[in-house]
Amino acid sequence: MTKQKRSKATPTTDGMPIDLALQGGGAHGAFTWGVLDRLLEEPWLRIEGISGTSAGAMNAAVLADGLARGGVDTAKAALEDFWRRVSDAALLSPFRRSPLDVLLGRWTLDTSPMFIAFDLAARLFSPYDLNPQGRNPLTEVLEASIDFDRLHEAPVRLFVTATNVRTGSGRVFRNADITPEVLLASACLPTLFQAVEIDGEPYWDGGFAGNPTITPLVRECASDDIVLVQINPVERAGTPRTAQEIANRVNEVSFNATLLKELRMIAVLREVANPGNCEGALWARTRIHRIATEAMTQLGYSSKLNAEWDFLCMLRDEGRRSAETFLQEQAPNLGKRCSVDLDAVT
């Protein structure tokens, strides 16, 4: 699909269009909430398209619905309301920090008796054994937070990735296709939840196939600037030695693999694309930017299941700080040049 391009040397009166690529990562998605909360405060920016996976997809849908319903202030309130509902839904969750971790101010669940028991049980039993009803508490949260009929007509273009269990390939859902089931599928970790059936096909977490998928933003949106909000660390110092460290690093590597592959493809296409060719021009003009934080290296896999409100607010505040740093240091690059060294990243 060909997209119409426009000149963006300086911000336009209706805002400089940008696209967002939002990674998934369970409760760590509250970091993305903070990033979005800060970016929405910039009147010279206009979000045109968002590609999201898992928590990134939910953030994207809540944001797009909020903008369609009442603009920036409504979108900011909708994001806070969504994460508050997530936290409230987890009040009775067995995954709680141990008293020692609470005392020491650590957010990990690595020493939580229930998390350890679940982690061991998941190696022997599936969600079909442990949760035969297929209940997912996020179902009610999504239905209460998003008007999906309005979302289908929202001006922000959405691209949500889920992984087809049968084929192993990713499927990208667009506004008109997005339902609560699509968002649940995009966040469906196979050790936690039963596969979500859509159009007769079972789906798992989109992170296995695209975390997030960037190609639709390049091909179907007018903006040349894509801001990646990355919550899974690419690099981590040292060699994992404990079982928890190994499991955590395996999770990070696997959920970054598809993203790094796509960034590598973009780097190559930017070098070899023929700007005189319509398709080649899309890739040649694509500019990648990134918002991330070293703070995520202090968190492990288990904390992605920690939905305590104080933890979510801490991540939100870190997201706002990271977005502020991005705006101060990289905003001049928007509309002009790629601010990410793709060769170094990939």
Side-chain angles (χ1 to χ4, degrees):
M1 181 180 294
T2 302
K3 63 180 181 179
Q4 298 297 316
K5 292 291 182 175
R6 68 187 74 178
S7 174
K8 299 181 293 302
T10 57
T12 58
T13 56
D14 61 342
M16 174 181 289
I18 62 171
D19 297 326
L20 300 176
L22 310 181
Q23 272 200 323
H28 292 185
F31 170 81
T32 303
W33 163 29
V35 170
L36 298 175
D37 191 66
R38 179 63 185 88
L39 293 181
L40 284 169
E41 295 172 359
E42 295 298 315
W44 63 279
L45 291 177
R46 176 170 58 83
I47 300 170
E48 182 194 6
I50 311 177
S51 179
T53 294
S54 190
M58 295 182 185
N59 274 318
V62 172
L63 171 65
D65 180 53
L67 288 174
R69 175 158 55 99
V72 168
D73 290 341
T74 302
K76 287 167 63 71
L79 283 166
E80 180 171 0
D81 181 65
F82 168 74
W83 283 101
R84 172 65 78 174
R85 291 177 187 274
V86 169
S87 181
D88 289 346
L91 288 177
L92 298 180
S93 170
F95 299 142
R96 315 297 298 181
R97 288 184 293 161
S98 69
L100 179 60
D101 287 325
V102 172
L103 180 65
L104 297 177
R106 299 186 302 210
W107 298 111
T108 181
L109 298 180
D110 285 349
T111 59
S112 164
M114 285 304 299
F115 177 80
I116 294 173
F118 170 80
D119 191 46
L120 293 172
R123 303 171 194 273
L124 300 173
F125 304 100
S126 82
Y128 296 86
D129 300 317
L130 301 176
N131 183 14
Q133 300 296 320
R135 184 180 178 277
N136 188 328
L138 286 176
T139 302
E140 291 79 11
V141 171
L142 292 171
E143 291 175 344
S145 302
I146 302 170
D147 183 327
F148 286 88
D149 290 332
R150 181 170 52 226
L151 188 66
H152 296 165
E153 305 297 329
V156 176
R157 307 190 68 176
L158 298 180
F159 307 94
V160 173
T161 301
T163 304
N164 186 304
V165 178
R166 181 178 61 84
T167 66
S169 60
R171 176 178 172 182
V172 177
F173 297 84
R174 292 157 177 81
N175 292 60
D177 306 317
I178 297 175
T179 63
E181 289 72 29
V182 167
L183 296 179
L184 292 173
S186 184
C188 179
L189 290 173
T191 56
L192 280 176
F193 303 109
Q194 296 182 18
V196 178
E197 186 171 304
I198 301 172
D199 298 332
E201 293 280 1
Y203 287 89
W204 280 343
D205 195 295
F208 297 119
N211 194 19
T213 304
I214 296 178
T215 300
L217 296 175
V218 177
R219 289 181 168 171
E220 301 180 35
C221 294
S223 172
D224 293 321
D225 291 273
I226 299 173
V227 180
L228 167 66
V229 181
Q230 191 165 11
I231 57 180
N232 294 302
V234 173
E235 296 185 6
R236 187 179 285 272
T239 302
R241 295 187 180 277
T242 68
Q244 291 90 346
E245 290 173 345
I246 292 171
N248 177 57
R249 192 56 183 150
V250 167
N251 179 270
E252 291 173 345
V253 170
S254 61
F255 280 97
N256 273 327
T258 54
L259 171 65
L260 294 178
K261 182 178 180 180
E262 198 163 12
L263 291 176
R264 188 176 301 114
M265 178 192 72
I266 292 174
V268 171
L269 289 175
R270 278 171 51 89
E271 292 292 327
V272 304
N274 177 8
N277 174 274
C278 186
E279 177 73 12
L282 301 182
W283 298 101
R285 297 175 59 175
T286 296
R287 296 181 288 268
I288 304 294
H289 314 275
R290 181 171 61 174
I291 299 177
T293 177
E294 287 295 319
M296 286 302 178
T297 62
Q298 306 303 312
L299 301 174
Y301 163 75
S302 67
S303 63
K304 293 181 177 181
L305 299 178
N306 183 354
E308 293 178 52
W309 182 242
D310 287 346
F311 180 51
L312 300 180
C313 288
M314 182 276 289
L315 290 170
R316 176 204 59 196
D317 294 344
E318 182 62 31
R320 284 188 57 87
R321 283 191 293 270
S322 298
E324 180 66 35
T325 299
F326 170 80
L327 290 168
Q328 292 178 358
E329 298 178 356
Q330 302 300 339
N333 291 319
L334 292 172
K336 296 179 180 178
R337 64 186 67 84
C338 184
S339 63
V340 173
D341 185 348
L342 294 176
D343 292 329
V345 170
T346 60

